[in-house]
Amino acid sequence: MDKMFVIRCKTYLSCVSHFPIGNTGKLKRILSPIGYRCKSTLSSEDNIKKFIIENTEVVGDHITPEIRLRLFTPNCRFWYARPELWPFSDPYWAIYWPGGQALARYLLDNPGVTKDKKVLDLGSGCGASSIAARLSGASQVLANDIDPVATIATTLNCELNGTKPFPVVSKNLIGTKPENWELILLGDMFYEEQLADRLHSWLRECIRTHHTQVLIGDPGRAHFEGHTIRKHLQKLADYQLPDSVREQNYGLTTSTVWRYQPLA
């Protein structure tokens, strides 16, 4: 396996202030750098949908059992298959990350947060937070992930849950002119220092321009805990993670939802 990718996986999955970097195990094998270099032969959206359906499992044993998702599990062949066989970029959308789980749980438990609001789910991945926002009464939802395959996976997950369709776009919105979103959601997005810096700056501008409310879900990753953004957060809720999620995230036991409130 590509050594640089092993480092990247370790940084993302084990980069927590109170947990050492360890063996990245099976999850490493399904998040392969080969995908970046491998051009998919699955050219049509219908073929990609078929491929996703055939190579994921419908899962509901997480902290939001109300939401079913197509994810990678040990029952899926690409959990064990040689990574060069995977035809797309790294399938981060096929993992329900703990920050996203906490964020979706919070929305479902507190529907007033999203009711009748225009919501942007930034770095939407599998689309769980977007689906939670829709189920909680958001008037408008936009899911945004720079991986085009993630946008298709989100559409499939939306259909799986019988939710009213919402748009899913792959344009990178970070740094663009802020639109009038009433709520922006970010789950497990602070996994890289440069990205954290860009998010801090852009989110601050969104709040300054449109008084947008920003909610962040994070299990305590180092680039989040050590960033200056932590000085501007209000804790809203902590959630215990299921055993399966703890195992895949190297002993993380909880995930937290924060409100971002930068100083003027």
Side-chain angles (χ1 to χ4, degrees):
M1 177 168 286
D2 187 297
K3 290 183 179 179
M4 289 305 296
F5 181 71
V6 171
I7 293 172
R8 181 158 58 89
C9 264
K10 288 181 177 180
T11 299
Y12 186 76
L13 294 172
S14 299
C15 198
V16 185
S17 58
H18 52 288
F19 283 93
I21 291 176
N23 174 24
T24 53
K26 295 173 184 174
L27 190 56
K28 226 174 33 177
R29 302 179 61 185
I30 63 172
L31 297 178
S32 166
I34 304 297
Y36 282 120
R37 304 192 292 269
C38 180
K39 183 177 179 180
S40 173
T41 57
L42 304 172
S43 56
S44 76
E45 182 172 325
D46 286 343
N47 285 339
I48 295 174
K49 283 184 176 181
K50 184 173 183 292
F51 184 87
I52 291 172
I53 291 170
E54 290 175 349
N55 291 285
T56 56
E57 183 177 19
V58 175
V59 176
D61 59 343
H62 36 65
I63 67 173
T64 56
E66 304 95 320
I67 299 175
R68 297 188 302 157
L69 301 166
R70 298 186 184 279
L71 303 172
F72 277 159
T73 75
N75 296 325
C76 302
R77 71 185 181 102
F78 280 103
W79 189 269
Y80 303 101
R82 289 183 293 116
E84 60 266 28
L85 298 178
W86 180 254
F88 307 113
S89 60
D90 296 348
Y92 294 112
W93 52 266
I95 307 296
Y96 193 8
W97 301 102
Q101 291 199 37
L103 196 55
R105 181 71 269 161
Y106 182 79
L107 298 182
L108 293 170
D109 289 345
N110 301 274
V113 173
T114 54
K115 185 173 175 57
D116 300 325
K117 288 187 173 65
K118 294 189 293 184
V119 179
L120 169 64
D121 182 10
L122 192 69
S124 51
C126 65
S129 295
S130 299
I131 293 168
R134 178 65 89 191
L135 291 173
S136 301
S139 61
Q140 182 179 340
V141 176
L142 177 66
N144 172 230
D145 196 293
I146 60 173
D147 182 355
V149 180
T151 67
I152 296 173
T154 293
T155 299
L156 285 172
N157 286 330
C158 185
E159 294 171 355
L160 187 63
N161 289 276
T163 53
K164 182 180 178 182
F166 48 78
V168 188
V169 298
S170 58
K171 177 184 177 181
N172 188 353
L173 298 181
I174 302 171
T176 62
K177 182 179 179 180
E179 295 187 26
N180 190 22
W181 297 105
E182 295 172 279
L183 176 64
I184 296 178
L185 308 172
L186 302 95
D188 254 308
M189 282 289 286
F190 291 82
Y191 54 85
E192 183 182 86
E193 185 174 1
Q194 186 178 20
L195 176 59
D197 290 342
R198 292 175 60 210
L199 284 169
H200 186 27
S201 176
W202 185 70
L203 292 171
R204 190 169 48 198
E205 182 64 17
C206 291
I207 293 172
R208 187 192 68 81
T209 305
H210 297 295
H211 305 288
T212 304
Q213 182 180 6
V214 176
L215 298 183
I216 297 170
D218 192 274
R221 304 207 186 274
H223 287 302
F224 181 71
E225 293 294 325
H227 198 274
T228 55
I229 197 171
R230 283 288 279 108
K231 300 176 182 178
H232 308 283
L233 300 178
Q234 174 192 1
K235 182 185 287 190
L236 298 178
D238 281 320
Y239 296 97
Q240 293 293 317
L241 297 171
D243 290 342
S244 60
V245 179
R246 295 184 186 193
E247 181 181 351
Q248 292 174 3
N249 287 269
Y250 301 94
L252 289 172
T253 58
T254 62
S255 192
T256 304
V257 177
W258 305 87
R259 177 183 288 119
Y260 178 44
Q261 296 178 308
L263 299 176

